[in-house]
Amino acid sequence: PHVQPRPVLQAATVRLAKASPVGKLSLVGCGKADKWDTSAAAKYGEQVATIAKAEKVKSLAVQLPEGTDDKLFGVMSEALLSGLYQDSRFKTGDGKPKPLKLEAIEFLGCSVKDIDAAVKTSQAMSTGVALCKDLVSAPPNYVTPEVLADSAVEIAKECGMKCTILEKDECEKMGMGSFLGVAKGSTEPPKFIHLTYKPEGKVTKKVAVIGKGLTFDSGGYNLKAGMGSMIEMMKFDMGGSAATLGAARTIGMLKPEGVEAHFIVASCENMINGEAMRPGDILTASNGKTIEVLNTDAEGRLTLADAIIYAESQGAEEIVDVATLTGACIVALGGDYAGMWSSSDDLAEALESSAKTTGEKMWRMPLCEAEYGEQIKSKIADLKNIGGKGAGSITAALFLKQFVEKASWAHLDIAGPVWNDKIGATGYGVKTLADYVTNSGKK
C-alpha cells in the first residue's frame, strides 16, 4: 500500500580509453524534450546518484539537458544529493556499506541565473531530507521522545534558532490533557518541542508547522493486532515530526527573510500499562474542550489538538500540521499522494504550489463539515475522537479543525508517502514544508 519509486530511467555506462581524461561515460535517457519537467528532472537526479554509487566514483560531471531553468536544476540537484543517502547505522561486518568516495560534482551546460544560490538551496533541502530519513528509519528503541527533543536542540545550536522543550509537569500546568492522555501508558517521558526561527529583518508573516510525534504506536488498549495491523512498522508514526524537524533544519540553513516560523512537536509513545487511557475515557484539552476517547488507536489527533492550540497562542497566522494520521487516506489516495485539507483556499494553494515545485505529490481533499461534522460530536463530551465507518480521513481532519480559532489552517496526512517498502523512509514533506515557509516571507 505504500509509495512506489519513480520508474528507473534507461541508462548505460561504458569505460573509456586510458588516454581519455574521463574514466567512464554514462548515458541516461530522460524521455522526450517536451516532457522535461520537474518529474523528469527528479528521475534524472535519482538515476545519476544511483550510477555514482554503483560506479564508486570520486568525481562526477553531469550534463544538463536544454531547457534546464533554475526550478528544474533545483529539483534535479536536490534529487541527486538526496539519492546519495545511505543508512548503514545498524549494519555490521561485511554487510555494512562502505562510505561513498564522491568528492566533487560539476554541472555542464548550466544556464542557471544564480548557481550558488541554487546549490545552497539543494544542499539545505537534501540535508533536511536526510535528517528526516534518519529519524523515520531508526527503530523506536533508538528514537524516543527524548531523542527527538535532543535533535531539536542540536538544530537550534547549529542554526541559531531558539528551542524550548516543555516537560510533563510544564504541559500539565498548561492543561494539555489531550496530549498527556496519550502519553500516560508509556514509561518514556513525553516531550513538547518548540523550535523558533526568526529572520534578521522585519517579520511579515508568522507561520507554524506541527508534526505528529508518536515515536511508537501500539494502538493502546485498541491494540494493533493481526495481519495488516503494521504494528512492527509503527516506528514511522513520527514521520510528521521528522518532516517538521527536517524542514526546520533546512530553514535554519537557508535563513529566509520576512517569515517567523514555529516548528512544534508533541512527542510521546502510545503504550499500555495500568495508567494508560482507556476506551471511554474523557480528556480535556488545553482550551477546555472535552474529548470522549472511543478508540485509543486514534491517538495522533489527540496530541495534535494541544499542539495546534499552543501554536495559535504563539501568534501563528497560518498553521500546517503534518501527520501519519489515517489508514483511510492510503485507501483513498494510495501510497504516492499525501492528502491535504484546509480551511483556507490561499493556504491550500500555497502548499499545492510548493508541492508541485519540489516534486512531492499532494491532493486537496474536501472537509465536508456539513455532511460529516456531526460524526465527531459526543453525547457526553464536546467531541469524540473517531467518526463513523466511512470518511475516516475527513473526520480526522474535522476533529483537528475544532481546535483552530482564527488562524488559517491546513492538515497533511502523509500516511501513504512516508514509507516505501523497497527503499524505506522517503523524507516526504520536508521539501514542501521548507518551500512553503520560505515563500511565506515573500508575500
Side-chain angles (χ1 to χ4, degrees):
H2 291 101
V3 60
Q4 297 300 312
R6 295 183 181 93
V8 176
L9 300 180
Q10 290 186 342
T13 300
V14 295
R15 184 181 297 275
L16 301 183
K18 290 184 178 181
S20 172
V22 177
K24 295 179 182 179
L25 174 66
S26 294
L27 302 177
V28 179
C30 295
K32 296 181 179 180
D34 60 354
K35 299 294 184 181
W36 179 240
D37 54 15
T38 54
S39 178
K43 293 175 188 175
Y44 184 39
E46 291 168 357
Q47 186 63 54
V48 171
T50 299
I51 294 169
K53 289 191 289 186
E55 299 297 332
K56 300 178 175 60
V57 300
K58 288 186 177 181
S59 61
L60 180 69
V62 182
Q63 177 67 48
L64 299 176
E66 277 188 42
T68 302
D69 56 16
D70 293 47
K71 177 181 176 181
L72 293 176
F73 175 79
V75 171
M76 189 279 296
S77 56
E78 186 282 321
L80 195 169
L81 293 173
S82 291
L84 296 174
Y85 173 87
Q86 59 182 17
D87 185 5
S88 60
R89 292 171 294 172
F90 308 110
K91 293 280 191 178
T92 62
D94 293 339
K96 190 178 182 70
K98 294 182 179 179
L100 297 178
K101 297 180 178 180
L102 185 61
E103 298 174 353
I105 302 174
E106 183 178 355
F107 295 100
L108 308 177
C110 185
S111 59
V112 177
K113 296 177 182 177
D114 191 343
I115 186 68
D116 290 337
V119 169
K120 179 183 176 182
T121 299
S122 296
Q123 289 176 327
M125 287 287 192
S126 61
T127 299
V129 169
L131 172 61
C132 179
K133 289 179 178 179
D134 280 348
L135 292 171
V136 174
S137 295
N141 60 324
Y142 280 79
V143 173
T144 62
E146 184 174 6
V147 170
L148 283 186
D150 290 343
S151 296
V153 170
E154 189 65 25
I155 292 169
K157 288 180 179 178
E158 291 180 359
C159 301
M161 299 165 71
K162 179 183 177 183
C163 184
T164 301
I165 308 296
L166 300 179
E167 303 295 343
K168 179 183 176 182
D169 59 340
E170 295 171 285
C171 294
E172 286 175 342
K173 290 176 183 178
M174 298 178 72
M176 295 185 183
S178 187
F179 165 46
L180 294 177
V182 178
K184 284 170 62 178
S186 176
T187 56
E188 290 286 347
K191 302 287 182 179
F192 193 96
I193 302 162
H194 179 199
L195 269 169
T196 306
Y197 165 78
K198 291 187 178 182
E200 290 186 1
K202 181 181 178 182
V203 173
T204 60
K205 178 74 72 69
K206 293 183 180 181
V207 303
V209 176
I210 301 170
K212 176 183 171 183
L214 269 292
T215 56
F216 185 74
D217 177 22
S218 70
Y221 278 104
N222 290 107
L223 184 68
K224 295 180 184 290
M227 292 293 292
S229 70
M230 296 183 67
I231 190 170
E232 75 282 0
M233 294 304 301
M234 284 302 105
K235 65 180 183 179
F236 67 51
D237 212 22
M238 42 64 68
S241 65
T244 297
L245 294 179
R249 185 72 179 84
T250 297
I251 291 300
M253 292 176 68
L254 294 177
K255 302 191 184 312
E257 298 178 354
V259 61
E260 177 179 310
H262 299 264
F263 300 92
I264 298 167
V265 176
S267 183
C268 64
E269 291 183 327
N270 184 22
M271 301 292 281
I272 302 171
N273 64 17
E275 297 182 357
M277 66 175 177
R278 296 147 294 211
D281 281 359
I282 292 179
L283 308 178
T284 303
S286 51
N287 65 352
K289 286 190 176 182
T290 55
I291 306 159
E292 183 184 10
V293 179
L294 293 184
N295 190 316
T296 61
D297 196 22
E299 84 301 326
R301 65 201 72 183
L302 298 175
T303 67
L304 291 170
D306 278 326
I308 289 171
I309 297 164
Y310 178 87
E312 201 156 12
S313 75
Q314 301 302 303
E317 303 162 65
E318 294 181 353
I319 297 172
V320 180
D321 75 74
V322 54
T324 50
L325 206 63
T326 67
C329 194
I330 301 176
V331 173
L333 296 177
D336 289 341
Y337 283 81
M340 186 259 287
W341 290 258
S342 183
S343 62
S344 164
D345 288 340
D346 289 342
L347 177 55
E349 288 171 6
L351 288 167
E352 286 176 322
S353 175
S354 289
K356 184 176 181 181
T357 296
T358 59
E360 294 187 317
K361 296 179 180 179
M362 180 186 299
W363 196 266
R364 188 176 183 183
M365 302 285 278
L367 279 165
C368 306
E369 194 159 10
E371 293 84 358
Y372 302 134
E374 289 294 320
Q375 292 188 22
I376 58 170
K377 292 183 179 179
S378 168
K379 292 181 180 179
I380 60 172
D382 297 325
L383 300 166
K384 54 185 180 180
N385 75 326
I386 56 171
K389 291 183 178 180
S393 58
I394 296 175
T395 53
L398 286 174
F399 177 88
L400 296 175
K401 186 175 180 289
Q402 308 311 305
F403 298 90
V404 183
E405 288 192 3
K406 296 180 181 179
S408 298
W409 160 82
H411 160 62
L412 306 182
D413 192 332
I414 64 168
V418 70
W419 187 264
N420 178 291
D421 288 333
K422 291 185 178 180
I423 65 172
T426 64
Y428 183 93
V430 171
K431 294 179 287 184
T432 294
L433 293 170
D435 189 77
Y436 153 72
V437 171
T438 299
N439 291 335
S440 295
K442 299 176 182 179
K443 298 175 182 177

